[in-house]
Each structure stands twice: as structure tokens, then as C-alpha cells.
Amino acid sequence: MQLSSKHLLGIRDLQPTDIQLILDTAIEFKEVLQRPIKKVPTLRDVTIVNLFYENSTRTRISFELAEKRLSADTINFTASGSSVSKGETLLDTVNNILSMKVDMVVMRHSASGAPHFLAKHIPASIVNAGDGINEHPTQALLDAYSIREKLGTLEGRKIAIIGDIMHSRVALSNIYLLKKMGAEVMVAGPPTLIPVYMKEAFDVQVEYNLRKALEWCDVANVLRIQLERQNQVLFSSLREYSLAYGINKRILDSLKKEILIMHPGPINRGVEIDSDAADSKQSIILQQVENGVAVRMAVLYLLAGGKEQKN
Amino acid sequence: MKTILTEEQLAITIQRLSYQLLENHIGLENTVLIGIQPRGIFFSNRIVKEISKEVPTDKIQYGKLDITFYRDDVRQGLHALNRTEIPYSIEKRNVILIDDVLYTGRTIRAALDALQDFGRPAKVELCILIDRRFSRELPIQSDYTGQSIDSIIGQKVKVFWREKDGKEEVVLID
């Protein structure tokens, strides 16, 4: 019972058995979170630093809660207000933190590949909490966990990922994971936000018509328009995007079946999804957040456990 | 390989232990039975089955506890997880922990820690099928004991259950 990798850098490097192990372990941690005392002493001798070079609400809080519920010691580092502004490099910062005897690093960085770079140079285990437009593995895992919890299995399920595919690390991690677990994947959105090579590179279906995508899928994972990563005009206005690709109650009700609505957050209400859809019964957005803590506990437990410290 | 309990002896032992539990906890009114995962469950299931001949099933409060998250050797190796199910409050109740073999006492230490997270029991007792005497690493003893045996470190006690192993027997393996 062990993951095949020392780090969690991306879903791309994981075996299907690893994914299965993480999801199964998370079930038991979810049970822990229902107890009167939602804390276990499992990682009481482990120190974890949360290294956030980019803004985050959900992921940072979720990781910190997961660490605390496993009784690990945690340190939080955010780039703003640190010596990063004085010109310290990423590697120097991390080596300084590690010299204070830290066992694991959870990191988010705006540069794709930053955790992979770090993994080559430091001995500690690294968990990628989002790197640029590359991957966000724990988000994909909690999405998969939520789908499995609702639909029983991932195999053969039809998942549509809708919105800003080009700039989304959530989309990429989800595609890797869902394909490995035997789900059918479709990406949908305006042509300017879907890279042209998607079909060839990932063997996913591509759809430019929202209604067709929704009619096809069992689950719609709706993504935020990442304006902060777009350095050119890719659609004329948010209003126009909303009219063509926004999910609302009206379009959901006009479908012949009931589909699950997911969103990794933060939501831009009225852009990619309207309030009447985001807050509807079909939406499992808040359950995703709840499951996130259990899934991250499972990841930390599986990476930290089973490795005796030799110092 | 030496047989400690045959199928018949095992059945009699389980029956005796069940009646001992009932003597001390009449009607099980304020008592919760908790089997320890994974292999203690086969034993606790049998105890509960025996007790249900005397006490109506809906009066028996029975839970299952997995102690993996409370082990003191997590960093030395990961163990497979099992389901914890304690649907009853243990606050101010008498808790009877049930496991098949008592050896070093570390599992029971972890179970006692785990119980704290579900409330503060009035009293905790321990019911064990096979007690390996003189091998304890912690000061923990059972209140109800099926059979005490003398064994050395290299030996292993294995309890076979019909539903899992196809036969019922307790053996000492060299």
C-alpha cells in the first residue's frame, strides 16, 4: 500500500492504481470528518509548509485544514510580504525553509513546472497545489471523488469540461485523470479558448455548441474564465460569453435528463454560470469543497506515511 | 503448527465469553460493543450473534473501529484502511473492546486513543480470544479472556474463521 511516486506533481505521472488508492483512502478520511472530534494523530511528527506564490482561498484553507486534521505542524508562506520581493529565488527560499526541518512542501506557483523544478533539487515530498496553466492534481482528485460519490463509478461516465480550457490547469488534470479511469471526456467552449490540438493530444471530444455538450454529458464541470492569464482578447465581452456559454436554469431544465453541475471555484456568477444554476439541487459545488479536505488528507497521508526519517 | 483451539472449543469459548459479558452488563443497557478492524470483527460478530440469543438485536449497540490512523508506526509503513462505524454515542457508556489476539498491546493502546475521539466512556473493558502472555510491550490486560497461551516472539497466532478462511481453528505457527 504505497503510491508509486514520492511527490504529487501532476495526474500525468500517476498510475490508475495510485488514483484508486487515493480515492479509496479519502473515503475513510471523510468518515473521520463526520466524527465529533474531526482530528486524528496520524502525522503528528510531520511538518508541512504551504508555499503559495499565487492567490488562493479554497485550496490553501483546504490544505491547511487537512494538515491540521492529521495533526501535522503547518507553516504558511505567501509570496507577498516575504523576502521574495527582495529578490530571493524560489530555490533559496525553499532551501531556507527546509533547513528548519520541514518534511513536505505544498506549493502553488504561477509558473508551470515550478514544483517539477523543485522536486529535482530538494529531498522533501512536494504536493502541487496548482502550477501556472499546467496541473492542479488535488482538484482533479476531489472532482473525481465527488463524481464517484454521486454516480458510483467513473468508468463509462460522460464528463464535459466547459469554458476556458486553454488557461485551465483544472481542465488538464481532470482530462488526465478521467481518461486514466475510463471516463469519456468532452471539452466545450468557444474555439478561441480551446487549443486546436486537444483531440489529437488527449483523445477527447471537442464541441463548440453548449447545448450539444450538455445533452451529451452526465456531468458538466464548468470552469472560470481566467482573465488574469489572458493577455489578448479571446472573446468580445463577458456578456457575450455568458449568452453563448453561460449555464443557467433555463438551459438545464430544457434538457431531457438531470446532469450534475460542478465548478472548481471561484465562481464568476453571471458569467460562466448563473446563480439559479450554481445554487440548484443539481449543483455539487459545495460538496466538492467538502470532499477536498478528505482527498487532501488522503494525499498527505499516503505521501508522508511509510517513509522512516533517517536523520 | 500446533492447534490451540479446535472448531468445537472455539465455539464453546465464544459462548462462554458472551455469557461472561452478559453477566457483567445485564441487558447491555448502557453498553456498547466495539470490534477492532480488521480481524477482530469476525470474533466480535460471533459474540454479537451469541448475545442476540439472549438480548433483542435492536438493544445491542455494536460498532467497528479501525485504528490505522492512531498507529505509532505510520512512518515505518502504511497499512490498509478499513471502515470505522460507530453509530452510537459512547459518552458515559460502558465500552467493551473486542479483538482476536492480544500480543504487544499496541493495537489496544491505539484503540483507546481512537475512542477518545468519539466521546468519554464511563468505563472501557477488553475482551480477547487469545491472550499471548508475557509478551506485552505496554501495561494492558484483558478483562475477558478466551484462552491464555505461552508463546515466543518468533511464533505467530492465527485465528481462522469460516466466512474468511473456510475453516474455524486457532493455531500457533512456529
Side-chain angles (χ1 to χ4, degrees):
Chain A
M1 213 187 92
Q2 189 92 52
L3 292 179
S4 63
S5 166
K6 180 188 168 193
H7 310 285
L8 178 63
L9 299 176
I11 302 293
R12 193 171 64 164
D13 319 317
L14 292 184
Q15 304 295 324
T17 49
D18 291 329
I19 297 167
Q20 196 75 39
L21 178 59
I22 294 171
L23 297 181
D24 289 345
T25 305
I27 295 175
E28 307 307 331
F29 279 111
K30 192 160 182 194
E31 183 273 318
V32 170
L33 297 175
Q34 321 287 335
R35 295 181 188 175
I37 295 174
K38 301 164 185 58
K39 190 169 170 126
V40 287
T42 319
L43 298 187
R44 69 193 138 197
D45 58 345
V46 179
T47 308
I48 303 173
V49 59
N50 298 317
L51 209 61
F52 279 75
Y53 278 84
E54 203 184 53
N55 295 339
S56 168
T57 313
R58 256 160 305 279
T59 308
R60 192 165 55 78
I61 290 176
S62 180
F63 264 110
E64 199 177 340
L65 257 182
E67 290 152 7
K68 291 192 161 148
R69 302 227 145 128
L70 286 165
S71 301
D73 292 321
T74 63
I75 318 165
N76 287 311
F77 170 94
T78 39
S80 59
S82 73
S83 285
V84 172
S85 56
K86 298 176 194 162
E88 194 174 44
T89 65
L90 171 63
L91 192 53
D92 277 342
T93 304
V94 173
N95 271 328
N96 274 282
I97 293 171
L98 290 182
S99 66
M100 296 184 242
K101 304 278 181 258
V102 171
D103 306 292
M104 280 177 88
V105 178
V106 173
M107 78 172 289
R108 167 169 288 191
H109 203 285
S110 54
S112 304
H116 306 71
F117 162 77
L118 218 49
K120 285 186 194 143
H121 293 96
I122 64 167
S125 284
I126 296 171
V127 181
N128 182 0
D131 62 325
I133 58 167
N134 180 35
E135 282 219 50
H136 190 352
T138 55
Q139 179 70 42
L141 287 163
L142 74 90
D143 287 346
Y145 182 93
S146 306
I147 295 171
R148 216 177 63 157
E149 192 178 59
K150 285 283 168 197
L151 302 181
T153 172
L154 292 167
E155 207 175 333
R157 299 298 179 184
K158 294 174 175 165
I159 322 288
I161 304 171
I162 299 169
D164 188 354
I165 308 297
M166 188 183 282
H167 302 94
S168 174
R169 53 195 174 206
V170 176
L172 196 54
S173 283
N174 258 292
I175 291 168
Y176 282 132
L177 192 154
L178 293 168
K179 293 301 287 185
K180 283 184 192 209
M181 301 309 281
E184 288 183 52
V185 185
M186 172 186 279
V187 294
T192 48
L193 291 178
I194 298 180
V196 283
Y197 47 77
M198 285 308 283
K199 194 171 168 49
E200 293 75 15
F202 298 106
D203 188 30
V204 298
Q205 300 187 52
V206 179
E207 178 58 65
Y208 301 122
N209 182 304
L210 178 68
R211 173 168 287 280
K212 280 187 189 156
L214 292 177
E215 271 165 4
W216 173 83
C217 71
D218 303 316
V219 180
N221 199 345
V222 188
L223 304 177
R224 180 175 63 93
I225 298 297
Q226 310 215 2
L227 286 175
E228 77 275 19
R229 291 188 215 281
Q230 299 178 3
N231 44 21
Q232 53 182 317
V233 180
L234 293 168
F235 49 87
S236 47
S237 74
L238 286 176
R239 171 106 182 108
E240 188 177 329
Y241 179 84
S242 176
L243 284 173
Y245 292 100
I247 312 257
N248 52 41
K249 195 90 180 83
R250 190 165 40 82
I251 191 162
L252 290 180
D253 286 344
S254 71
L255 302 173
K256 289 180 198 78
K257 57 185 176 181
E258 192 161 290
I259 60 170
L260 284 182
I261 301 293
M262 301 172 58
H263 193 299
I267 303 176
N268 288 147
R269 285 175 186 263
V271 182
E272 70 270 8
I273 188 164
D274 280 1
S275 289
D276 55 7
D279 305 331
S280 69
K281 276 205 195 90
Q282 286 165 265
S283 148
I284 56 166
I285 296 171
L286 292 176
Q287 277 123 294
Q288 286 175 266
V289 179
E290 184 191 348
N291 293 336
V293 179
V295 167
R296 289 180 175 115
M297 284 171 86
V299 167
L300 295 170
Y301 168 72
L302 291 169
L303 288 177
K307 283 187 295 284
E308 183 75 308
Q309 290 293 88
K310 288 190 186 70
N311 49 12
Chain B
M1 200 167 85
K2 194 183 117 198
T3 301
I4 301 170
L5 292 176
T6 62
E7 177 167 4
E8 200 185 355
Q9 288 169 322
L10 182 60
I12 295 170
T13 306
I14 291 169
Q15 199 173 37
R16 171 172 62 78
L17 287 170
S18 306
Y19 281 98
Q20 279 182 338
L21 291 180
L22 278 174
E23 261 175 44
N24 288 334
H25 301 270
I26 292 164
L28 293 181
E29 271 165 20
N30 198 32
T31 302
V32 181
L33 303 170
I34 294 181
I36 296 177
Q37 291 273 25
R39 293 197 66 97
I41 296 304
F42 300 106
F43 178 43
S44 59
N45 282 343
R46 292 287 292 275
I47 295 256
V48 168
K49 196 175 158 198
E50 205 63 47
I51 286 177
S52 65
K53 291 175 186 166
E54 302 292 333
V55 178
T57 324
D58 58 329
K59 292 273 188 288
I60 302 175
Q61 306 205 323
Y62 172 41
K64 294 168 184 161
L65 180 65
D66 182 51
I67 56 110
T68 311
F69 297 142
Y70 299 84
R71 296 181 74 98
D72 52 13
D73 57 359
V74 171
R75 299 279 264 164
Q76 285 158 34
L78 292 173
H79 293 257
L81 297 172
N82 293 288
R83 178 52 48 86
T84 293
E85 272 179 66
I86 303 185
Y88 309 104
S89 166
I90 63 164
E91 192 77 25
K92 296 181 187 160
R93 302 292 183 89
N94 299 314
V95 173
I96 302 171
L97 287 175
I98 303 172
D99 203 1
D100 55 352
V101 181
L102 178 59
Y103 180 34
T104 61
R106 285 181 190 270
T107 300
I108 305 303
R109 195 282 308 156
L112 289 170
D113 266 7
L115 276 187
Q116 303 288 316
D117 289 354
F118 292 90
R120 181 179 186 274
K123 188 178 183 188
V124 183
E125 291 181 327
L126 178 59
C127 174
I128 288 291
L129 181 61
I130 303 295
D131 173 18
R132 297 181 65 173
R133 284 192 289 195
F134 313 123
S135 56
R136 221 71 83 230
E137 290 167 7
L138 295 167
I140 284 168
Q141 306 304 336
S142 56
D143 300 281
Y144 308 92
T145 310
Q147 175 95 346
S148 285
I149 61 157
D150 295 329
S151 59
I152 54 173
I153 292 170
Q155 292 173 318
K156 202 172 155 32
V157 173
K158 178 99 179 143
V159 185
F160 295 100
W161 300 101
R162 173 145 297 120
E163 53 271 45
K164 173 80 178 169
D165 314 296
K167 60 171 178 178
E168 304 245 308
E169 196 183 15
V170 184
V171 296
L172 184 65
I173 302 167
D174 288 304

